[in-house]
Amino acid sequence: MRRAIQLLLTVVIVLAVVIGFRWYRYVTNAESPYDEVGIELNSRMPGPINEWGCVTLHATFANALPPYGCQDSADARKWR
């Protein structure tokens, strides 16, 4: 039983690292703000992490329309 819990914990940690790296790579090194996987990951991040991601994307793509998750609630054409 202990071995199963250890394996499950290892899988969860590896999955969190892979997802976190993929999100960080999207936010900091994206060629386009419209990468589907990156948008989905960023929109599901907790509040402060999502805000940092949106600010970083906005700094890189200031003239582009904001992706889902970074849109202003009043006007979807503006960054929040």
Side-chain angles (χ1 to χ4, degrees):
M1 182 68 172
R2 181 178 175 179
R3 199 122 162 93
I5 292 173
Q6 191 175 22
L7 178 63
L8 181 64
L9 185 60
T10 302
V11 169
V12 168
I13 290 171
V14 167
L15 189 61
V17 168
V18 168
I19 289 172
F21 176 74
R22 176 66 175 90
W23 168 81
Y24 183 77
R25 196 178 72 189
Y26 162 69
V27 170
T28 59
N29 298 320
E31 292 180 17
S32 167
Y34 308 117
D35 176 56
E36 293 90 3
V37 175
I39 290 171
E40 193 63 33
L41 290 174
N42 192 49
S43 68
R44 294 182 183 269
M45 288 292 165
I49 297 173
N50 176 274
E51 284 182 38
W52 181 82
C54 290
V55 167
T56 305
L57 284 169
H58 188 195
T60 306
F61 304 105
N63 296 327
L65 291 174
Y68 176 75
C70 294
Q71 298 168 334
D72 184 39
S73 59
D75 185 3
R77 294 179 163 262
K78 292 183 181 178
W79 292 82
R80 58 178 158 116

